[in-house]
Amino acid sequence: MSANPVPKALACMLALATAGALAQPTQPGRAPVTQPEIRYQAGGSPLAQEEMHQNVNPKAPPMTKAEFDKARVIYFERCAGCHGVLRKGATGKPLTPDVTLAKGSEILKVFIKYGSPAGMPNWGTAGDLNDAEVDLMARYVQQEPPTPPEFGMAQMKGSWKVLVPPEKRPKKKMNRYNIDNIFSTTLRDTGEVALIDGDTKQIIAIVKTGYAVHISRTSASGRYLYVIGRDAKINLIDLWMEKPDNVAEIRVGLEARSVDTSKYKGYEDRYAIAGAYWPPQFTIMKGDTLEPLKIVATRGMTVGDQEYHPEPRVAAIVASHFKPEFVVNVKETGKVMMVNYADINNLKVTEIEAAKFLHDGGWDSTKRYFLVAANQSNKIAVVDAREGKLVKLIDVGSIPHPGRGANFRHPKFGPVWATGHLGDETVALIGTDPVKHKQHAWKVVQTLKAQGGGNLFIKTHPKSKNLWVDTPLNPDAKISQSIAVFDINNLDKGPQVLPIGEWAGVTEGAKRVVQPEYNKAGDEVWFAVWSAKNQQSALVIVDDKTRKLKAVIKDPRLITPTGKFNIYNTQHDVY
């Protein structure tokens, strides 16, 4: 018998709730949401701390302002990632009053407490919310959704700081660090990045940044490092300084994930671009100061059904090597925007229809074709950056999540690009050479079986014969604390599993192993062993050739390390 049996009356209400509008998938034929996907989407949003107006709905159950504010914080900490800022649905179902009022408080409380077969977490029985909070949330989702404040040019300029003007910065490199082999390592919960010397394995500096840095990107010259936090704060770090540190900062919204810089010949380091989750927009800035120059909204019509979407979030952004363009991927509309920055006062944007919901991706080995996951459609979209058009939509596994993906030469099918999946254990290998291997191009040529669902990143290197696949969001601790590695020359053999979490030698904790990252030489692979803020974490370094432990970096300053970005590999899109 279950430890938390559902009373018959409640079971009936739960059945009604999950059979109705709340259980309808956001995509036709969409499979239920997986636990790894829920774990990925359920992270807290910085919008939880933003003041929002309470719109009183006379048809909704009454709520005091204090109750509304408490519920709003819970919603943005636990629910917005799946259901959207405006509750119109994303990974999860719509929770707008036209849906929720018809259900009523009692059914909603059951739904929130016990979850649903469609993937709604059991917030009550799991111990995340008590009965009073369940009741609070049932009433909250029947209110009109509050709208967060906009964030425009005035707000951006108010947050913009040039800490060291360009004319006062070094004219030449002032330190002896091998900048090419520095790793920018996210310290997620402290709002910092650790700059680590890849040669000596020593921490060079701990640099203050925005909260929960999502990515680090290197300028075309290799001098500047751009990092963006989930709170939409961008920090510009000068790696030429005697001790690398911030030289400029800005906020480009209230929540964000992506940043990159201009890389086309003649525009190196001239511009930076950042995309926001809220407000839904992207901003082009001066590359050396972060001065905001141009803001472009992404609100608009979705692909397929062509319905207006009020909050299409900006996901991955990459810089084209073929034109003065940024490739901007918009999640909810399913569109790729090719943004030509040659004249930002007369900006030219080519809109390419792909599929929902665009998330992350990377270049093929030639850097002509961009492959991006449409994770709610279970597809990879291929965009030709030279021709500015969609090449193909490729069916893959459940909820692809490639990071940047992994490029290597398959012994049978030629050049391929690989993605793992949040929703299943497979790794899809896609042919990427339409010239010499035309018969294999833009097809899944092989599917590998890794450890399980919950994969976030996959990685190899041009000098390596290994393909590394993490699974940090798998609910099985044995799987989340280890790594799967395939021999590229013998993929049919299956993976070897290495106990990276155990090798870290840290104290008790989650010890989730996340994001393999190579050094410049391609002979070491770095892993973050990620535990809670109050627990010990570490970085584990493995010899790529022998697959043996090479080093462990432990330091009390390494709090919740996650992403690691090698300067040279990030600068040159090596993955």
Side-chain angles (χ1 to χ4, degrees):
M1 182 176 288
S2 168
N4 292 292
V6 183
K8 276 190 176 181
L10 296 184
C12 291
M13 286 191 286
L14 180 58
L16 287 171
T18 57
L22 287 173
Q24 292 174 0
T26 54
Q27 298 288 319
R30 167 93 194 276
V33 183
T34 64
Q35 286 300 314
E37 185 180 14
I38 292 167
R39 291 159 67 91
Y40 179 70
Q41 298 284 1
S45 164
L47 293 173
Q49 305 307 317
E50 294 296 327
E51 185 66 30
M52 299 181 202
H53 177 67
Q54 178 183 359
N55 296 313
V56 178
N57 184 342
K59 296 181 180 180
M63 294 190 81
T64 65
K65 186 179 187 304
E67 287 178 323
F68 182 88
D69 288 342
K70 180 179 179 180
R72 176 182 56 77
V73 170
I74 293 173
Y75 179 82
F76 282 102
E77 286 181 343
R78 299 187 181 275
C79 315
C82 280
H83 297 284
V85 169
L86 302 179
R87 306 208 312 254
K88 290 186 176 291
T91 302
K93 318 303 180 287
L95 292 176
T96 45
D98 59 313
V99 174
T100 55
L101 280 171
K103 299 302 171 187
S105 295
E106 291 307 313
I107 284 178
L108 291 169
K109 284 194 288 187
V110 174
F111 188 73
I112 294 166
K113 182 171 182 175
Y114 293 98
S116 82
M120 173 73 173
N122 55 324
W123 294 112
T125 55
D128 296 290
L129 299 177
N130 59 37
D131 284 347
E133 290 169 331
V134 168
D135 174 75
L136 187 71
M137 296 310 295
R139 288 184 286 137
Y140 175 78
V141 296
Q142 295 176 76
Q143 311 292 322
E144 292 295 329
T147 301
E150 297 294 317
F151 202 93
M153 185 61 76
Q155 289 82 7
M156 289 186 197
K157 287 194 171 180
S159 73
W160 173 48
K161 298 177 183 177
V162 178
L163 307 172
V164 182
E167 63 272 16
K168 293 186 178 180
R169 296 174 196 167
K171 306 303 179 188
K172 62 180 181 179
K173 182 170 170 283
M174 300 300 291
N175 59 62
R176 296 186 178 182
Y177 300 120
N178 177 10
I179 289 177
D180 281 351
N181 204 33
I182 289 176
F183 287 76
S184 175
T185 302
T186 296
L187 305 181
R188 187 187 184 282
D189 292 342
T190 63
E192 298 169 323
V193 294
L195 301 180
I196 302 177
D197 188 325
D199 296 342
T200 66
K201 314 298 188 286
Q202 299 297 310
I203 295 176
I204 295 169
I206 303 290
V207 181
K208 287 291 182 184
T209 62
Y211 170 72
V213 164
H214 194 66
I215 56 173
S216 299
R217 290 290 178 257
T218 311
S219 67
S221 68
R223 173 175 182 170
Y224 291 113
L225 180 68
Y226 301 77
V227 299
I228 187 165
R230 290 185 62 179
D231 58 0
K233 183 178 181 182
I234 302 171
N235 290 80
L236 177 61
I237 299 170
D238 187 353
L239 299 174
W240 278 13
M241 296 171 70
E242 186 174 353
K243 185 177 181 181
D245 205 347
N246 288 314
V247 292
E249 62 181 46
I250 192 173
R251 285 191 75 186
V252 292
L254 301 176
E255 185 171 4
R257 298 292 191 283
S258 51
V259 67
D260 213 333
T261 69
S262 52
K263 292 185 176 180
Y264 186 65
K265 187 176 181 180
Y267 292 88
E268 296 92 339
D269 296 22
R270 185 180 300 184
Y271 296 120
I273 183 173
Y277 268 29
W278 188 270
Q281 61 194 29
F282 62 84
T283 303
I284 298 175
M285 301 156 280
K286 285 187 178 179
D288 60 351
T289 65
L290 301 182
E291 179 185 355
L293 302 172
K294 188 84 169 183
I295 305 170
V296 179
T298 55
R299 293 178 171 102
M301 312 308 286
T302 60
V303 298
D305 47 27
Q306 299 193 47
E307 293 182 348
Y308 178 75
H309 201 292
E311 54 166 314
R313 299 170 288 181
V314 178
I317 299 177
V318 295
S320 173
H321 298 263
F322 282 84
K323 297 177 183 178
E325 285 184 334
F326 293 119
V327 184
V328 178
N329 298 274
V330 186
K331 289 176 76 80
E332 282 75 15
T333 57
K335 295 177 180 178
V336 179
M337 303 172 78
M338 310 295 286
V339 180
N340 189 302
Y341 53 76
D343 180 358
I344 64 170
N345 292 319
N346 299 283
L347 204 66
K348 294 182 175 68
V349 179
T350 301
E351 188 178 271
I352 300 173
E353 292 195 354
K356 302 173 186 175
F357 295 146
L358 297 179
H359 190 59
D360 56 356
W363 296 109
D364 79 309
S365 58
T366 68
K367 300 179 178 62
R368 171 176 173 174
Y369 299 99
F370 182 69
L371 295 92
V372 58
N375 56 21
Q376 298 308 312
S377 301
N378 297 331
K379 297 179 186 295
I380 296 293
V382 183
V383 174
D384 184 341
R386 190 173 77 180
E387 300 297 329
K389 65 181 182 180
L390 181 73
V391 176
K392 188 78 176 289
L393 289 175
I394 304 167
D395 291 322
V396 291
S398 176
I399 317 167
H401 191 286
R404 286 287 178 109
N407 289 298
F408 61 92
R409 189 172 188 85
H410 193 285
K412 180 178 179 181
F413 302 110
V416 298
W417 178 90
T419 181
H421 299 84
L422 266 168
D424 65 38
E425 74 278 14
T426 64
V427 175
L429 309 185
I430 296 170
T432 59
D433 181 4
V435 179
K436 295 182 179 179
H437 297 83
K438 186 176 181 180
Q439 70 275 31
H440 304 311
W442 318 130
K443 301 174 183 176
V444 176
V445 295
Q446 187 173 1
T447 300
L448 310 177
K449 186 176 180 180
Q451 291 197 85
N455 165 248
L456 288 183
F457 298 101
I458 185 168
K459 189 74 69 170
T460 189
H461 188 277
K463 296 181 180 178
S464 174
K465 298 300 180 184
N466 289 322
L467 176 67
W468 303 84
V469 184
D470 71 12
T471 41
L473 297 185
N474 194 283
D476 185 332
K478 186 176 180 181
I479 294 176
S480 67
Q481 294 177 9
S482 58
I483 196 83
V485 54
F486 292 85
D487 180 349
I488 288 172
N489 291 324
N490 191 6
L491 293 167
D492 293 332
K493 182 181 178 181
Q496 180 183 3
V497 176
L498 302 182
I500 303 296
E502 178 184 320
W503 286 356
V506 298
T507 55
E508 289 298 316
K511 293 184 281 193
R512 289 168 290 190
V513 175
V514 63
Q515 202 212 26
E517 176 77 349
Y518 276 87
N519 63 345
K520 179 189 176 183
D523 57 9
E524 291 178 355
V525 191
W526 291 43
F527 301 92
V529 178
W530 170 26
S531 289
K533 186 176 182 178
N534 61 348
Q535 294 171 323
Q536 189 178 30
S537 294
L539 300 179
V540 171
I541 301 162
V542 175
D543 185 294
D544 182 68
K545 185 175 181 179
T546 65
R547 301 183 181 176
K548 302 294 185 184
L549 176 64
K550 187 169 184 178
V552 177
I553 303 176
K554 291 188 220 179
D555 189 294
R557 295 173 291 174
L558 290 179
I559 298 170
T560 58
T562 52
K564 302 156 301 305
F565 302 88
N566 176 268
I567 296 299
Y568 180 88
N569 292 339
T570 304
Q571 175 188 359
H572 296 280
D573 293 316
V574 176
Y575 39 81

